[in-house]
């Protein structure tokens, strides 16, 4: 969403913190991504922003969904999305989720360990399983390669074990890291997956699906590769490296909602501390801006103009961890002013808690 006089006018009538979310932009993002990735099914990663209006808009655009909890599953089932359009890519899932998924007809699950195979065999017998591979996350601003995934060398043993426990070897998946600025990561991961499909087929493990995970970036303060640029890299690698006829899916989260919303906050106080000038806002790390602790930098706008000043910006709670930006420049800002945190539709309200009594931003829908 662009900063504009209309946005400022709209926000003036609203209490802060508030996330102004334009459903038309969500739909536009889905269409643009589908166009950039022909032949690839979009399964929206609900975790990025589970607001029902977002889910409804994406279901209307023909997206399926990636879900990892009972609550996410119930939210998409409530919209009438068939279970065949759902997958679950968290390699370690709670038992209540597996049972509810099985009852609802969702039977396509990621895994990366023998323990998960045992759990799936017990609570979702006969499911289709796809293996999460570790791939290079260099150049992604929110890396996701530490917690999950196995090396390709472990794949045969794990699929053989899964088959032995009555599960159906189905596919592979990877995640290049969220907010990935390095389009080569997709190519490298696709070549790795391509080789593995061949090796596994030679050993009697015939797979038919590849999920390319998420990672498509949102515009913040650095240049990012466009959907089209990433689409070109992906199309080339798919054609060169993968066996024909695979079901190809992608699980974008951030890219479908990030640019559809602006987070509007009020400056609740100002202070000079040594050489630093501090601004305190009514949204902070705990009620919406969690990703700033991992270094994510949003573009901030103000209605003021004038020479730039350097600020540290912190949230409203008593906790010293509640500090979002250091060394950012803005025209001089006063207590009571609004700040506009641009392209903040992903992983903001979804992460927000009510720590210290400062609740999540309200969502104001437009479009
Ligand atoms: C398994 C899985 N799929 C998809 C996503 C969505 O990623 P992104 O928001 O970078 O598109 C995530 C994010 O954490 C994930 O863990």
């Amino acid at each position: 969403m662009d900063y504009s006089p209309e946005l400022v006018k709209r926000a003036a009538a609203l209490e802060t913190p508030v996330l102004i979310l334009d459903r038309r932009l969500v739909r536009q993002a889905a269409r643009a991504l589908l166009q950039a990735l022909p032949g690839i099914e979009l399964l929206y990663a609900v975790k990025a922003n589970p607001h029902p209006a977002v889910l409804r808009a994406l279901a209307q655009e023909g997206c399926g969904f990636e879900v990892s909890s009972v609550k996410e599953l119930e939210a998409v089932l409530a919209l009438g999305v068939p279970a065949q359009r759902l997958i679950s890519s968290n390699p370690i899932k709670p038992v209540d989720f597996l049972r509810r998924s099985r009852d609802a007809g969702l039977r396509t699950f990621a895994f990366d360990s023998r323990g998960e195979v045992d759990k799936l065999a017990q609570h979702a017998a006969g499911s289709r399983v796809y293996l999460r591979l570790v791939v290079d996350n260099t150049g992604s601003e929110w890396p996701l390669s530490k917690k999950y995934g196995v090396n390709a060398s472990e794949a045969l043993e794990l699929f053989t074990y899964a088959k032995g426990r009555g599960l159906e070897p189905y596919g592979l998946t990877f995640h290049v890291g969220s907010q990935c600025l390095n389009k080569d990561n997709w190519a490298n991961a696709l070549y790795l997956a391509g080789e593995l499909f061949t090796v596994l087929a030679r050993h009697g493990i015939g797979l038919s699906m590849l999920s390319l995970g998420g990672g498509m970036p949102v515009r913040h303060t650095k240049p990012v590769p466009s959907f089209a640029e990433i689409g070109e890299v992906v199309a080339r690698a798919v054609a060169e490296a993968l066996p024909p006829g695979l079901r190809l899916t992608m699980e974008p989260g951030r890219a479908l909602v990030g640019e559809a919303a602006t987070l509007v906050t009020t400056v609740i106080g100002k202070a000079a501390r040594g050489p630093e000038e501090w601004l305190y806002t009514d949204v902070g790390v705990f009620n919406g801006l969690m990703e700033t602790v991992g270094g994510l930098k949003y573009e901030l706008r103000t209605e003021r103009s004038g020479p730039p000043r350097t600020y540290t910006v912190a949230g409203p709670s008593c906790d010293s961890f509640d500090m979002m930006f250091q060394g950012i420049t803005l025209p001089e800002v006063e207590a009571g002013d609004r700040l506009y945190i641009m392209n903040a539709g992903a992983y903001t309200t979804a992460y927000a808690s009510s720590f210290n009594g400062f609740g999540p931003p309200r969502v104001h829908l437009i479009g």
Side-chain angles (χ1 to χ4, degrees):
M1 184 183 294
D2 293 327
Y3 180 77
S4 66
E6 294 77 54
L7 174 68
V8 171
K9 199 165 153 209
R10 203 183 285 279
L14 303 171
E15 271 180 45
T16 64
V18 62
L19 187 77
I20 300 180
L21 192 151
D22 188 340
R23 284 174 284 211
R24 263 173 320 189
L25 295 178
V26 174
R27 286 193 214 102
Q28 263 176 33
R31 282 178 209 164
L33 200 46
L34 280 165
Q35 200 181 2
L37 299 163
I40 301 185
E41 271 173 71
L42 291 190
L43 307 175
Y44 172 61
V46 172
K47 59 180 83 74
N49 186 328
H51 194 287
V54 170
L55 304 183
R56 200 169 304 116
L58 291 173
Q60 282 164 359
E61 291 302 320
C63 293
F65 296 90
E66 189 281 319
V67 294
S68 288
S69 62
V70 172
K71 214 163 178 186
E72 290 186 351
L73 174 63
E74 301 290 3
V76 293
L77 291 175
L79 296 176
V81 178
Q84 297 73 14
R85 305 297 323 277
L86 310 178
I87 63 172
S88 179
S89 289
N90 187 326
I92 307 281
K93 292 162 285 298
V95 165
D96 67 335
F97 171 65
L98 290 181
R99 290 205 187 114
R100 181 68 189 99
S101 296
R102 179 200 57 201
D103 295 346
L106 160 56
R107 55 182 299 266
T108 310
F109 300 102
F111 79 114
D112 68 356
S113 65
R114 279 178 167 242
E116 192 68 2
V117 168
D118 293 340
K119 210 195 302 161
L120 284 160
Q122 186 180 349
H123 301 289
S127 296
R128 307 192 292 199
V129 290
Y130 54 104
L131 185 69
R132 169 84 169 252
L133 298 173
V134 184
V135 297
D136 192 2
N137 275 207
T138 307
S140 70
E141 300 211 311
W142 195 265
L144 293 169
S145 54
K146 250 194 187 157
K147 191 169 165 186
Y148 297 124
V150 291
N151 291 318
S153 58
E154 295 168 72
L156 178 59
E157 191 271 323
L158 280 167
F159 273 121
T160 305
Y161 184 67
K163 210 172 163 183
R165 300 253 18 217
L167 301 174
E168 183 187 328
Y170 183 52
L172 300 174
T173 188
F174 55 76
H175 202 301
V176 296
S178 201
Q179 187 68 9
C180 180
L181 308 187
N182 177 10
K183 53 189 193 292
D184 291 342
N185 280 3
W186 278 279
N188 295 339
L190 282 161
Y191 283 99
L192 176 80
E195 278 176 36
L196 190 54
F197 277 113
T198 310
V199 171
L200 291 170
R202 234 185 274 135
H203 287 86
I205 305 286
L207 302 177
S208 54
M209 172 262 205
L210 175 67
S211 175
L212 285 77
M216 309 281 270
V218 165
R219 285 174 300 136
H220 291 301
T221 56
K222 294 181 193 167
V224 298
S226 67
F227 290 174
E229 286 169 318
I230 294 169
E232 253 175 58
V233 169
V234 167
R236 197 174 319 121
V238 164
E240 286 176 7
L242 298 185
L246 288 181
R247 176 187 179 198
L248 297 177
T249 66
M250 199 176 204
E251 307 158 20
R254 192 184 294 283
L256 293 180
V257 281
E259 296 187 15
T262 300
L263 183 51
V264 188
T265 183
T266 299
V267 177
I268 58 171
K270 265 177 93 168
R273 305 198 187 284
E276 278 183 271
E277 275 204 89
W278 287 63
L279 300 177
Y280 298 84
T281 56
D282 62 6
V283 74
V285 165
F286 299 104
N287 64 339
L289 294 173
M290 174 65 84
E291 288 206 309
T292 58
V293 302
L296 198 94
K297 294 203 165 44
Y298 294 88
E299 181 193 353
L300 262 57
R301 301 294 292 261
T302 160
E303 290 148 67
R304 303 255 180 201
S305 54
R309 298 179 77 89
T310 303
Y311 288 109
T312 298
V313 185
S317 75
C318 294
D319 197 309
S320 294
F321 199 63
D322 191 5
M323 199 181 73
M324 295 84 73
F325 310 104
Q326 263 185 309
I328 66 149
T329 53
L330 290 167
E332 177 146 27
V333 171
E334 298 300 340
D337 283 4
R338 299 291 177 84
L339 293 181
Y340 299 82
I341 302 165
M342 308 308 296
N343 295 343
Y347 303 111
T348 47
T349 45
Y351 271 136
S353 77
S354 292
F355 172 60
N356 214 176
F358 298 103
R362 270 176 290 277
V363 177
H364 179 80
L365 295 170
I366 58 175

